[in-house]
Every structure is written in structure tokens, then in C-alpha cells.
Amino acid sequence: MATPPKKSWFDNLRESQVWNSIFRHGPPDNTRNRSLAVLTNVFLHLHPVKVRKSGLRLKYTWCAGGTTFFLFLVETITGLLLMFYYRPTAEYAFVDILDLRSQVPLGVMREIHRWGAHAMVIAVWLHMLRVFMTGSYKPPREFNWNVGVLLLVLTLLLSFTGYLLPWDQLAMWAVTVGSNMARATPFLGNEGPGAALLKVGDIGLVHAGDDARFALLAGRFVGSAALLRFYVLHCVGIPLVAAVLMAVHFWRVRKDGGISGPL
Amino acid sequence: MPDAPKTEPVVLPASPGAAAGGEVSRRGFLSWIAIAWVSFTGAMTLISVSTLRFFFPNVLFEPPQTFKAGFPSEYAPGVDNRFKESRGVFMVRDDKEIYALSTVCTHLGCTPNWLDAEGKFKCPCHGSGFYITGINFEGPAPRPLERFRIVLAEDGQILVDKTKVYRQEKGQWQDPEAFIPV
């Protein structure tokens, strides 16, 4: 009379109702269950169940897209933590940045955010270069190339809006110079081509008090209103749009046949 | 068993959508659809325009565009920096006139400094240089500094109005309100 083999605590856990309500497939000891483990998980299911061998070759992909996404997550988490201390007003912004370094535990958080931002911009460009060099923008992937270009623009806008937040001389003048380019917007900028045509009688409709640059800065120069506006765009507006486009971007990679491989 | 002939009761349509007998006629239905679409489009347009308008505040916490700059006799010949920080204006007096130069570099909007020893405005950002008149002569600035409207108020003080700019390249510096003769 052989005694049945003793069940481990893990086997008992596997058979519990709690476990089975969360993981609705058997142990991943065969191909089907391993596939289900990925397919039935909301986070893992973004990733294909199977990848081409070439998709794992660093020499081919540089892992630049994956690095970019990882850095975006780093920026999201560190940025969220910084929001607990940083106040986006002309009175507090600069001293809060200093305090983040000297008076907050893990004072390196702001540096991680800043260096991560630089790294993300570099990774985005490398990703774009790799996709171009490997011809991965060709049909059926033309649409996803365009989504990627939009994501590149959003990445640069995140950099630009974040640059103002330390509220020091460098930030002020960089954004002054950068936002002055908006004056040259066709029809919508007060110095742009065609803006002089938009007038009722003698009164010009587009001037420094209502043009594209004004909408960006909420004023005629970079002041506290511009700081608040850039803060909201940096922390909520642009990341939300970027997250939606990233979802489209990853989904299209899957639908267009996974990571492109060497021909 | 044949029915007795009945006169049809006249039912007036209660609305454009209702035909005789309470049924919705094709024409009535289409006119309702048209009204609905027009209303919906109008509402959406209104919401979009209102949302866009939301980004343009009615009140700005900025210094007023018009300010009094003291009496002409207070200005010695040369460049006066007293309103450079607060108002963004260089007050300049030469042997013939007083004029108000904008402190915004025409290249990319930094603030040039008046270098007295060298007799020129020099922009720290990209090195644009301007004569005391505001005319650009070196660096990337594409055009001269702008001048603001400058008049004498009733009390004899100088009144500078930044809402009106005069550009040299448009020949506007000879306009009567672009300078005060002294």
C-alpha cells in the first residue's frame, strides 16, 4: 500500500480557489499552457507568445525600441515621485528643485529623471535609425513608421516642456528662444506668413496677445502662467497622448508580423 | 361580410415627424434627421470653439503695456536702463530725439545689453550687435530692434505704449509718434 507522494505547499497553493481564480490555466509544463500564460495576462499579452529568433538578435534590433519604452516607464515612475515635492509656481519651483537634491531622501531621484530623459531621446533616435537602416518602415509597416514619427515629436515635446520646470535662467531663456519660433507659425503666429492677411478692416486679428505663442505660454512672455501650463502638459497631457500612441505602435508591430527580421 | 364604408378620420400630423395615423413618414423622418444632425454639428462646433477659447485667459498678470516714463528732462544723452527689467524698454536720448527701443533681440528674443564702452547693444545669447539707434550690424539678428510708440502725456511726462511697434525696415521710424523731438 504505497502512500501517495506528499504534496508540497506550492501544489496546495496551485489547487486553491484563489490561485485558480487568478491564473486560469494549468501549470506551464506544456506548450499550450505556456502560451495561455502569456495570452491570458493583460500585461504579458502585449508581447507575442512566440518571437522570431532574429527579433532577439541585438545586432539586428539594438533593442532600441524596448530601451525607449523601458526609459519611458522609468520617467513615468520617477516623474510621479518628483510630483510629490515639486510645486509649479514661480515662487517655489526653483527652490523645490534644490530641495529635491538636498532635503529629500534618495536625492538622486531628480538626476535619474533628468538623465533618463536624455537617454530616452537618444534611444528614440537610435530606434529610428535602426528601423530606417533595416528597411523596417516598408510595407506593411508604413503606418507604424508614421505613428513612430508622432511619438518622436511627443518625446521632444516632453523634453521641451520639462526643460522649463527647474525655473532657472537656462530654462527661462531656452523656452523664451524656443517659444519665439511659434511666432512664425503660418497664419497663427503674429510674425508668420499670412498672419497680416487676417484682419477686420484695420484691426489685425493675430497679434502678440492672441497668437499660437500666446496659447503656449498663456502670456506675452515666459512667466508663472507658462510654468503652470508647461507643467500640466509635461506631467499629464503629453504622456497621455504618448501612451495611447504607444499602445497603437506596439499593437501594429504585432499585427504587421512581429519585429521585422532580416530578409 | 363586407364592411360598411367608413369615412377616413382626418388626422393632422402632430409634428413634422408624424404622418397620418401616428406612423413616421419617410419625409418626416428625414427632416428630423436633418434637424438632429444640424443641431449636433452646431453643438460640437460650439464645444470645440469654447474649449479652444479656454486656453486664452481674459486676465493677464503681466505689467500693463502702457506706462509713464518720467519727464524728458530726466534723461541724459545715451541709453537709459531704468525700464529694461521691469518693462522691457531701453530709453535712448540722442541730440535730436528720445525713443523707446524694445529689449527683445530680433533674432530669438533674448535681452541685449548696452555696452557703454563699445557703444553698442550686444545680445548674450548668439552675439547679435546693434548700434545705439537699434540698427543691427553683426551677428544673426535679421532686422533692427523695434521701437515703441512714445508720446507726451497731458502732465508733460513721457508715455510709452508697447502695443504699437515701429519697424525701421518698414520705414516707420520717421512716424511722428515713434520718437519725441528734443
Side-chain angles (χ1 to χ4, degrees), chain A residues 86 93-95 97 110 114 161-168 171 227:
Chain A
Y86 174 83
F94 180 68
V95 288
I97 293 282
R110 190 219 153 198
R114 186 184 174 88
T161 50
Y163 205 62
L164 181 65
L165 304 185
W167 204 239
D168 53 3
L227 176 62

Side-chain angles (χ1 to χ4, degrees), chain A residues 86-101:
Chain A
Y86 174 83
R87 290 165 290 183
T89 64
E91 188 184 355
Y92 292 123
F94 180 68
V95 288
D96 281 356
I97 293 282
L98 293 182
D99 288 355
L100 272 167
R101 194 159 41 191

Side-chain angles (χ1 to χ4, degrees), chain A residues 189-230:
Chain A
N190 68 54
E191 292 174 7
L197 303 174
L198 298 173
K199 52 166 82 176
V200 177
D202 245 1
I203 302 156
L205 291 178
V206 181
H207 52 78
D210 71 351
D211 67 344
R213 179 173 175 273
F214 182 89
L216 188 69
L217 296 183
R220 289 187 182 85
F221 54 84
V222 180
S224 48
L227 176 62
L228 182 61
R229 200 158 277 205
F230 272 50

Side-chain angles (χ1 to χ4, degrees), chain A residues 28-98:
Chain A
D29 51 11
N30 57 50
T31 313
R32 182 176 180 275
N33 280 352
R34 277 199 290 272
S35 301
L36 284 174
V38 174
L39 278 175
T40 59
N41 181 302
V42 67
F43 301 107
L44 295 182
H45 96 276
L46 283 173
H47 206 272
V49 172
K50 291 178 177 170
V51 288
R52 276 210 209 86
K53 216 172 173 180
S54 62
L56 297 175
R57 267 180 46 202
L58 268 183
K59 270 169 75 173
Y60 184 78
T61 65
W62 302 352
C63 196
T67 305
T68 303
F69 182 52
F70 169 75
L71 286 166
F72 177 80
L73 295 179
V74 169
E75 291 303 279
T76 305
I77 293 163
T78 55
L80 192 68
L81 292 171
L82 294 178
M83 283 169 80
F84 281 97
Y85 285 102
Y86 174 83
R87 290 165 290 183
T89 64
E91 188 184 355
Y92 292 123
F94 180 68
V95 288
D96 281 356
I97 293 282
L98 293 182

Side-chain angles (χ1 to χ4, degrees), chain A residues 224-240:
Chain A
S224 48
L227 176 62
L228 182 61
R229 200 158 277 205
F230 272 50
Y231 175 77
V232 173
L233 285 172
H234 183 75
C235 300
V236 185
I238 303 171
L240 273 181

Side-chain angles (χ1 to χ4, degrees), chain B residues 13-179:
Chain B
S15 63
E23 295 270 321
V24 178
S25 71
R26 174 183 292 263
R27 178 182 296 248
F29 174 74
L30 287 178
S31 63
W32 270 122
I33 284 289
I35 292 168
W37 269 113
V38 168
S39 323
F40 176 73
T41 311
M44 284 298 134
T45 310
L46 197 69
I47 290 168
S48 307
V49 170
S50 310
T51 308
L52 192 67
R53 181 64 183 83
F54 175 84
F55 287 97
F56 294 85
N58 294 327
V59 177
L60 290 183
F61 298 93
E62 294 180 357
Q65 296 279 300
T66 310
F67 64 97
K68 287 197 173 165
F71 294 94
S73 54
E74 295 173 27
Y75 288 93
V79 177
D80 193 301
N81 283 323
R82 74 179 75 172
F83 294 110
K84 178 185 168 185
E85 291 292 328
S86 58
R87 306 289 187 173
V89 175
F90 291 117
M91 302 295 290
V92 188
R93 178 175 183 160
D94 62 15
D95 46 7
K96 294 193 296 293
E97 57 194 30
I98 295 178
Y99 48 90
L101 271 183
S102 164
T103 61
V104 178
C105 177
T106 50
H107 175 227
L108 283 174
C110 293
T111 305
N113 299 305
W114 172 249
L115 306 181
D116 214 25
E118 303 178 43
K120 67 179 181 186
F121 294 102
K122 190 71 176 165
C123 184
C125 287
H126 309 96
S128 299
F130 307 87
Y131 295 123
I132 190 169
T133 54
I135 305 266
N136 53 311
F137 68 95
E138 64 181 357
R143 54 193 182 84
L145 295 174
E146 290 167 355
R147 294 188 185 183
F148 295 123
R149 178 169 171 261
I150 185 167
V151 292
L152 286 178
E154 291 90 4
D155 59 359
Q157 284 202 61
I158 297 174
L159 188 75
V160 179
D161 172 12
K162 290 178 66 181
T163 57
K164 182 101 180 73
V165 297
Y166 297 92
R167 294 186 177 186
Q168 187 270 343
E169 71 273 18
K170 293 186 177 178
Q172 294 168 331
W173 280 6
Q174 279 70 46
D175 288 20
E177 293 192 333
F179 61 92

